[in-house]
Amino acid sequence: MAPHWTLRQLRLVALAAASGSYAKAAQDMGLSPPSVTAQMKALEEDIGVPVFERVDGRLRPTAAGQELLSAQERIARALSEAERAIAALKSPERGSVVVGVVSTAKYFAPMALAAFRRRRPEIELRLIIGNREDIIRGIVSLDFDVAIMGRPPPALEAETRLIGDHPHIIVAPVDHPLFKRRKRITPADLTRESLLVREPGSGTRMLMERVFEEAGAPNPPIAMEIGSNETIKQSVMAGLGLAFISAHTVAAEVADGRLRVLEVEGLPVVRQWLAVRARDKRLLPAGQALMDFLEREGASFLPQMPGGEGGRCYLPEHVAGSAPPKAAARDPV
Protein backbone atom coordinates (compact mmCIF):
# COMPACT_ATOMS: atom_id res chain seq x y z
CA MET A 1 0.00 0.00 0.00
CA ALA A 2 1.32 3.45 -0.91
CA PRO A 3 2.19 5.69 2.06
CA HIS A 4 -0.14 8.54 2.94
CA TRP A 5 2.61 11.04 3.70
CA THR A 6 1.99 14.58 2.56
CA LEU A 7 4.39 17.23 1.35
CA ARG A 8 3.38 19.30 4.37
CA GLN A 9 4.36 16.51 6.76
CA LEU A 10 7.73 16.09 5.08
CA ARG A 11 8.30 19.84 5.22
CA LEU A 12 7.45 19.79 8.93
CA VAL A 13 9.98 16.99 9.46
CA ALA A 14 12.68 19.13 7.81
CA LEU A 15 11.80 22.22 9.85
CA ALA A 16 11.61 20.31 13.12
CA ALA A 17 14.97 18.65 12.42
CA ALA A 18 16.58 22.01 11.67
CA SER A 19 15.18 23.79 14.75
CA GLY A 20 14.94 20.87 17.16
CA SER A 21 11.42 21.96 18.09
CA TYR A 22 7.86 21.30 16.93
CA ALA A 23 6.90 24.77 18.21
CA LYS A 24 9.47 26.47 15.94
CA ALA A 25 8.40 24.30 12.99
CA ALA A 26 4.79 25.33 13.65
CA GLN A 27 5.78 28.99 13.71
CA ASP A 28 7.72 28.68 10.43
CA MET A 29 4.75 26.99 8.74
CA GLY A 30 2.13 29.34 10.21
CA LEU A 31 0.41 26.51 12.06
CA SER A 32 -0.52 25.94 15.69
CA PRO A 33 1.75 23.68 17.79
CA PRO A 34 -1.10 21.20 18.47
CA SER A 35 -1.70 20.91 14.72
CA VAL A 36 1.95 20.09 14.08
CA THR A 37 2.03 17.58 16.93
CA ALA A 38 -1.06 15.88 15.52
CA GLN A 39 0.42 15.69 12.02
CA MET A 40 3.68 14.22 13.32
CA LYS A 41 1.75 11.66 15.39
CA ALA A 42 -0.26 10.67 12.31
CA LEU A 43 2.97 10.33 10.31
CA GLU A 44 4.55 8.07 12.92
CA GLU A 45 1.41 5.93 13.08
CA ASP A 46 1.51 5.60 9.30
CA ILE A 47 5.16 4.48 9.11
CA GLY A 48 5.05 2.47 12.33
CA VAL A 49 8.26 3.82 13.91
CA PRO A 50 9.27 7.09 15.66
CA VAL A 51 10.49 9.95 13.47
CA PHE A 52 12.16 11.92 16.29
CA GLU A 53 13.65 11.29 19.69
CA ARG A 54 14.38 13.86 22.39
CA VAL A 55 18.01 14.44 23.34
CA ASP A 56 18.83 17.17 25.86
CA GLY A 57 15.45 18.75 25.29
CA ARG A 58 15.81 18.92 21.49
CA LEU A 59 14.27 16.82 18.73
CA ARG A 60 16.73 14.60 16.90
CA PRO A 61 15.76 12.54 13.83
CA THR A 62 15.79 8.78 14.22
CA ALA A 63 17.04 6.55 11.40
CA ALA A 64 13.52 6.68 9.96
CA GLY A 65 13.53 10.45 10.33
CA GLN A 66 16.80 10.68 8.40
CA GLU A 67 15.23 8.67 5.57
CA LEU A 68 12.29 11.09 5.48
CA LEU A 69 14.69 14.05 5.45
CA SER A 70 16.53 12.58 2.45
CA ALA A 71 13.22 12.02 0.67
CA GLN A 72 12.13 15.58 1.44
CA GLU A 73 15.38 16.98 0.01
CA ARG A 74 14.98 14.99 -3.21
CA ILE A 75 11.35 16.05 -3.57
CA ALA A 76 12.20 19.70 -2.90
CA ARG A 77 14.95 19.56 -5.52
CA ALA A 78 12.64 17.94 -8.07
CA LEU A 79 9.92 20.53 -7.45
CA SER A 80 12.44 23.34 -7.78
CA GLU A 81 13.67 21.95 -11.09
CA ALA A 82 10.09 21.58 -12.32
CA GLU A 83 9.38 25.18 -11.35
CA ARG A 84 12.43 26.37 -13.26
CA ALA A 85 11.58 24.20 -16.27
CA ILE A 86 8.03 25.57 -16.40
CA ALA A 87 9.36 29.12 -16.14
CA ALA A 88 11.72 28.36 -19.03
CA LEU A 89 8.84 27.00 -21.11
CA LYS A 90 6.89 30.20 -20.52
CA SER A 91 9.90 32.44 -21.23
CA PRO A 92 12.62 30.47 -23.09
CA GLU A 93 14.94 33.49 -23.20
CA ARG A 94 14.95 33.82 -19.40
CA GLY A 95 16.03 31.52 -16.58
CA SER A 96 18.52 31.06 -13.77
CA VAL A 97 21.76 29.11 -13.43
CA VAL A 98 23.48 27.91 -10.25
CA VAL A 99 27.25 27.98 -10.87
CA GLY A 100 29.78 26.21 -8.66
CA VAL A 101 33.34 27.54 -8.93
CA VAL A 102 36.50 26.09 -7.36
CA SER A 103 38.27 28.74 -5.31
CA THR A 104 41.29 28.89 -7.63
CA ALA A 105 39.00 29.89 -10.51
CA LYS A 106 37.75 32.99 -8.70
CA TYR A 107 40.55 34.95 -10.38
CA PHE A 108 38.78 34.75 -13.74
CA ALA A 109 35.33 33.16 -13.34
CA PRO A 110 33.55 36.29 -11.99
CA MET A 111 34.78 38.30 -14.98
CA ALA A 112 33.54 35.64 -17.39
CA LEU A 113 30.17 35.45 -15.64
CA ALA A 114 29.86 39.25 -15.64
CA ALA A 115 30.46 39.31 -19.39
CA PHE A 116 27.82 36.60 -19.86
CA ARG A 117 25.36 38.64 -17.79
CA ARG A 118 26.01 41.72 -19.94
CA ARG A 119 25.25 39.59 -22.97
CA ARG A 120 22.24 37.91 -21.38
CA PRO A 121 20.92 40.23 -18.61
CA GLU A 122 17.63 38.34 -18.44
CA ILE A 123 19.42 35.26 -17.05
CA GLU A 124 19.95 35.19 -13.28
CA LEU A 125 23.20 33.69 -12.00
CA ARG A 126 23.91 32.33 -8.52
CA LEU A 127 27.62 31.90 -7.80
CA ILE A 128 28.91 29.45 -5.16
CA ILE A 129 32.67 29.20 -4.50
CA GLY A 130 34.27 26.26 -2.68
CA ASN A 131 37.22 23.92 -2.73
CA ARG A 132 37.39 20.98 -5.13
CA GLU A 133 35.60 18.59 -2.77
CA ASP A 134 32.80 21.12 -2.18
CA ILE A 135 32.25 21.55 -5.91
CA ILE A 136 32.31 17.83 -6.64
CA ARG A 137 29.76 17.33 -3.87
CA GLY A 138 27.52 20.00 -5.45
CA ILE A 139 27.76 18.33 -8.86
CA VAL A 140 26.95 14.90 -7.44
CA SER A 141 23.96 16.24 -5.48
CA LEU A 142 22.77 18.05 -8.64
CA ASP A 143 22.76 21.36 -6.74
CA PHE A 144 24.88 22.99 -9.46
CA ASP A 145 23.77 23.46 -13.04
CA VAL A 146 27.31 24.23 -14.20
CA ALA A 147 30.68 24.04 -12.44
CA ILE A 148 33.98 25.68 -13.36
CA MET A 149 36.85 23.45 -12.28
CA GLY A 150 39.53 21.05 -13.47
CA ARG A 151 38.85 17.53 -14.62
CA PRO A 152 36.22 15.83 -12.43
CA PRO A 153 36.90 12.36 -10.99
CA PRO A 154 36.60 9.58 -13.60
CA ALA A 155 33.79 7.96 -11.61
CA LEU A 156 31.63 11.08 -11.97
CA GLU A 157 29.42 10.87 -15.05
CA ALA A 158 29.75 14.39 -16.44
CA GLU A 159 29.78 16.44 -19.61
CA THR A 160 32.83 18.68 -19.88
CA ARG A 161 33.62 21.65 -22.13
CA LEU A 162 37.16 22.99 -22.46
CA ILE A 163 37.65 26.60 -21.32
CA GLY A 164 41.44 26.89 -21.56
CA ASP A 165 44.86 25.95 -20.21
CA HIS A 166 45.64 26.22 -16.50
CA PRO A 167 49.40 26.39 -15.73
CA HIS A 168 50.90 25.71 -12.30
CA ILE A 169 54.23 27.16 -11.15
CA ILE A 170 56.38 27.67 -8.07
CA VAL A 171 56.67 31.20 -6.69
CA ALA A 172 59.12 32.63 -4.20
CA PRO A 173 59.90 35.92 -2.46
CA VAL A 174 61.65 38.27 -4.90
CA ASP A 175 64.93 38.13 -2.95
CA HIS A 176 65.10 34.35 -2.50
CA PRO A 177 68.66 32.92 -2.81
CA LEU A 178 67.56 30.42 -5.49
CA PHE A 179 67.31 33.28 -7.99
CA LYS A 180 71.10 33.74 -7.73
CA ARG A 181 71.79 30.25 -9.02
CA ARG A 182 73.08 29.98 -12.56
CA LYS A 183 72.05 26.39 -13.22
CA ARG A 184 68.50 25.29 -13.77
CA ILE A 185 66.55 24.31 -10.65
CA THR A 186 65.21 20.76 -10.42
CA PRO A 187 62.42 19.46 -8.17
CA ALA A 188 65.11 17.64 -6.16
CA ASP A 189 66.75 21.00 -5.39
CA LEU A 190 63.53 22.11 -3.68
CA THR A 191 63.57 19.30 -1.13
CA ARG A 192 65.74 21.54 1.08
CA GLU A 193 63.20 24.36 0.92
CA SER A 194 60.00 24.85 2.93
CA LEU A 195 56.71 24.86 1.04
CA LEU A 196 53.42 26.52 1.87
CA VAL A 197 50.67 24.16 0.74
CA ARG A 198 46.90 23.91 0.46
CA GLU A 199 44.87 21.56 2.64
CA PRO A 200 44.83 17.78 1.93
CA GLY A 201 42.31 16.94 -0.78
CA SER A 202 42.77 20.27 -2.56
CA GLY A 203 43.44 19.92 -6.28
CA THR A 204 46.58 22.06 -6.10
CA ARG A 205 48.01 19.98 -3.24
CA MET A 206 47.32 16.72 -5.09
CA LEU A 207 48.94 18.03 -8.27
CA MET A 208 52.02 19.27 -6.37
CA GLU A 209 52.50 15.86 -4.78
CA ARG A 210 52.19 14.21 -8.18
CA VAL A 211 54.78 16.56 -9.74
CA PHE A 212 57.41 15.61 -7.15
CA GLU A 213 56.47 11.94 -7.43
CA GLU A 214 56.85 12.03 -11.24
CA ALA A 215 60.26 13.70 -10.83
CA GLY A 216 61.40 11.01 -8.40
CA ALA A 217 61.94 13.60 -5.69
CA PRO A 218 60.52 13.59 -2.16
CA ASN A 219 58.06 16.32 -1.26
CA PRO A 220 59.76 19.34 0.33
CA PRO A 221 59.14 19.98 4.03
CA ILE A 222 55.78 21.61 4.68
CA ALA A 223 56.25 24.91 6.48
CA MET A 224 52.54 25.65 6.75
CA GLU A 225 49.23 24.22 5.58
CA ILE A 226 46.92 27.03 4.43
CA GLY A 227 43.35 26.81 3.11
CA SER A 228 43.43 30.02 1.07
CA ASN A 229 45.39 31.04 -2.02
CA GLU A 230 45.34 34.67 -0.86
CA THR A 231 46.96 33.77 2.46
CA ILE A 232 49.52 31.60 0.69
CA LYS A 233 50.51 34.53 -1.53
CA GLN A 234 50.88 36.88 1.44
CA SER A 235 52.90 34.26 3.31
CA VAL A 236 55.30 33.78 0.39
CA MET A 237 55.77 37.55 0.12
CA ALA A 238 56.52 37.60 3.86
CA GLY A 239 59.32 35.08 3.32
CA LEU A 240 57.72 32.09 5.04
CA GLY A 241 58.43 29.71 2.16
CA LEU A 242 57.83 28.78 -1.48
CA ALA A 243 54.50 27.78 -2.98
CA PHE A 244 53.37 25.51 -5.80
CA ILE A 245 50.35 27.42 -7.04
CA SER A 246 48.10 28.18 -9.99
CA ALA A 247 49.74 30.77 -12.23
CA HIS A 248 46.36 32.45 -12.59
CA THR A 249 46.23 33.23 -8.87
CA VAL A 250 49.54 35.12 -8.85
CA ALA A 251 49.47 36.93 -12.21
CA ALA A 252 48.99 40.36 -10.62
CA GLU A 253 51.64 39.87 -7.93
CA VAL A 254 54.23 38.65 -10.44
CA ALA A 255 53.40 41.47 -12.86
CA ASP A 256 53.98 44.17 -10.23
CA GLY A 257 57.11 42.56 -8.78
CA ARG A 258 55.79 41.33 -5.43
CA LEU A 259 56.47 37.67 -6.30
CA ARG A 260 58.84 35.91 -8.69
CA VAL A 261 58.44 32.67 -10.60
CA LEU A 262 61.13 30.05 -10.06
CA GLU A 263 62.21 28.40 -13.30
CA VAL A 264 61.99 24.77 -12.25
CA GLU A 265 62.65 21.88 -14.58
CA GLY A 266 59.36 20.39 -15.80
CA LEU A 267 57.30 23.46 -14.91
CA PRO A 268 54.85 24.91 -15.63
CA VAL A 269 52.57 21.90 -15.37
CA VAL A 270 49.52 22.64 -17.48
CA ARG A 271 46.03 21.38 -16.72
CA GLN A 272 42.74 22.60 -18.17
CA TRP A 273 39.87 24.67 -16.93
CA LEU A 274 36.57 22.99 -17.77
CA ALA A 275 32.88 23.80 -17.65
CA VAL A 276 31.27 20.73 -16.10
CA ARG A 277 27.75 19.44 -15.58
CA ALA A 278 26.47 16.14 -14.22
CA ARG A 279 24.92 14.00 -16.97
CA ASP A 280 21.93 13.41 -14.70
CA LYS A 281 21.36 17.17 -14.39
CA ARG A 282 18.76 18.41 -16.82
CA LEU A 283 20.26 21.54 -18.33
CA LEU A 284 17.69 24.20 -19.18
CA PRO A 285 18.29 26.73 -21.99
CA ALA A 286 19.91 29.26 -19.63
CA GLY A 287 22.44 26.71 -18.40
CA GLN A 288 23.13 25.53 -21.94
CA ALA A 289 23.74 29.13 -23.00
CA LEU A 290 26.32 29.54 -20.21
CA MET A 291 28.10 26.29 -21.11
CA ASP A 292 28.29 27.40 -24.75
CA PHE A 293 29.60 30.84 -23.74
CA LEU A 294 32.32 29.42 -21.48
CA GLU A 295 33.48 27.02 -24.18
CA ARG A 296 33.45 29.73 -26.85
CA GLU A 297 34.83 32.74 -24.94
CA GLY A 298 35.96 31.60 -21.49
CA ALA A 299 39.65 31.45 -22.41
CA SER A 300 39.71 35.19 -23.11
CA PHE A 301 39.20 35.88 -19.38
CA LEU A 302 42.14 33.78 -18.18
CA PRO A 303 45.00 35.82 -16.66
CA GLN A 304 48.19 35.90 -18.69
CA MET A 305 50.79 33.45 -17.48
CA PRO A 306 53.51 35.16 -15.40
CA GLY A 307 57.06 35.49 -16.72
CA GLY A 308 59.64 32.79 -16.78
CA GLU A 309 60.64 30.45 -19.56
CA GLY A 310 61.09 26.74 -19.56
CA GLY A 311 59.29 23.65 -20.67
CA ARG A 312 55.57 23.10 -20.43
CA CYS A 313 54.77 19.80 -18.74
CA TYR A 314 51.48 18.00 -19.25
CA LEU A 315 50.33 15.22 -16.92
CA PRO A 316 49.19 13.21 -18.82
CA GLU A 317 50.86 14.65 -21.90
CA HIS A 318 48.66 16.16 -24.62
CA VAL A 319 48.50 19.21 -26.85
CA ALA A 320 47.80 22.54 -25.15
CA GLY A 321 44.35 23.85 -25.91
CA SER A 322 43.02 20.52 -27.12
CA ALA A 323 40.25 18.58 -25.47
CA PRO A 324 41.70 16.77 -22.44
CA PRO A 325 41.89 12.99 -22.43
CA LYS A 326 38.75 11.17 -21.46
CA ALA A 327 40.39 8.96 -18.86
CA ALA A 328 42.93 11.25 -17.18
CA ALA A 329 43.55 9.78 -13.75
CA ARG A 330 44.00 12.09 -10.76
CA ASP A 331 43.70 15.28 -12.74
CA PRO A 332 42.90 17.72 -9.91
CA VAL A 333 42.41 21.49 -9.88
Side-chain angles (χ1 to χ4, degrees), residues 34 83 126 156 188 239 298 312:
E83 182 181 23
R126 182 183 173 206
L156 178 60
R312 293 159 67 82

Side-chain angles (χ1 to χ4, degrees), residues 22-277:
Y22 283 146
K24 184 63 169 62
Q27 180 182 342
D28 292 342
M29 287 285 287
L31 301 172
S32 67
S35 172
V36 170
T37 302
Q39 291 197 49
M40 290 296 96
K41 183 179 179 181
L43 178 61
E44 290 183 333
E45 289 177 352
D46 189 34
I47 65 176
V49 291
V51 175
F52 289 101
E53 58 187 353
R54 286 202 174 272
V55 179
D56 297 328
R58 288 178 56 86
L59 294 174
R60 186 173 69 181
T62 61
Q66 292 290 355
E67 291 296 329
L68 292 177
L69 284 172
S70 297
Q72 194 275 333
E73 289 172 2
R74 293 193 297 271
I75 291 169
R77 188 180 300 118
L79 290 174
S80 176
E81 287 201 4
E83 182 181 23
R84 293 172 61 195
I86 292 169
L89 289 172
K90 292 192 293 185
S91 303
E93 75 285 355
R94 304 180 66 84
S96 63
V97 187
V98 181
V99 187
V101 175
V102 292
S103 56
T104 306
K106 68 184 181 183
Y107 297 92
F108 77 91
M111 283 73 79
L113 297 177
F116 176 76
R117 278 277 292 155
R118 287 193 292 272
R119 195 84 53 85
R120 299 292 300 273
E122 72 281 2
I123 294 178
E124 175 187 345
L125 298 179
R126 182 183 173 206
L127 173 63
I128 299 174
I129 293 178
N131 64 24
R132 176 177 167 84
E133 290 182 353
D134 295 333
I135 300 306
I136 291 173
R137 211 162 25 242
I139 296 172
V140 170
S141 66
L142 307 183
D143 289 335
F144 299 150
D145 296 302
V146 177
I148 298 175
M149 61 182 300
R151 176 158 292 278
L156 178 60
E157 290 290 326
E159 175 194 357
T160 62
R161 306 276 195 92
L162 178 65
I163 295 175
D165 283 346
H166 181 198
H168 291 73
I169 57 178
I170 290 179
V171 292
V174 295
D175 58 353
H176 196 281
L178 282 173
F179 290 113
K180 297 177 182 177
R181 294 185 54 161
R182 292 173 181 254
K183 68 175 185 178
R184 188 168 184 78
I185 301 167
T186 68
D189 294 327
L190 299 177
T191 58
R192 294 182 292 273
E193 302 294 331
S194 295
L195 248 66
L196 308 174
V197 300
R198 288 291 301 268
E199 71 281 4
S202 115
T204 304
R205 172 81 170 263
M206 293 165 65
L207 183 56
M208 179 202 75
E209 292 170 349
R210 186 177 178 189
V211 166
F212 281 92
E213 180 184 336
E214 294 277 329
N219 286 326
I222 295 176
M224 197 177 299
E225 195 173 276
I226 303 172
S228 157
N229 288 323
E230 285 299 317
T231 307
I232 287 178
K233 291 191 292 185
Q234 294 296 325
S235 299
V236 174
M237 287 187 277
L240 291 176
L242 311 180
F244 178 91
I245 198 166
S246 160
H248 293 153
T249 70
V250 294
E253 290 79 7
V254 171
D256 62 22
R258 287 179 289 160
L259 288 173
R260 287 182 67 183
V261 180
L262 279 175
E263 293 187 21
V264 179
E265 190 175 295
L267 297 184
V269 174
V270 182
R271 308 320 252 166
Q272 279 73 41
W273 286 119
L274 303 173
V276 179
R277 77 164 182 94

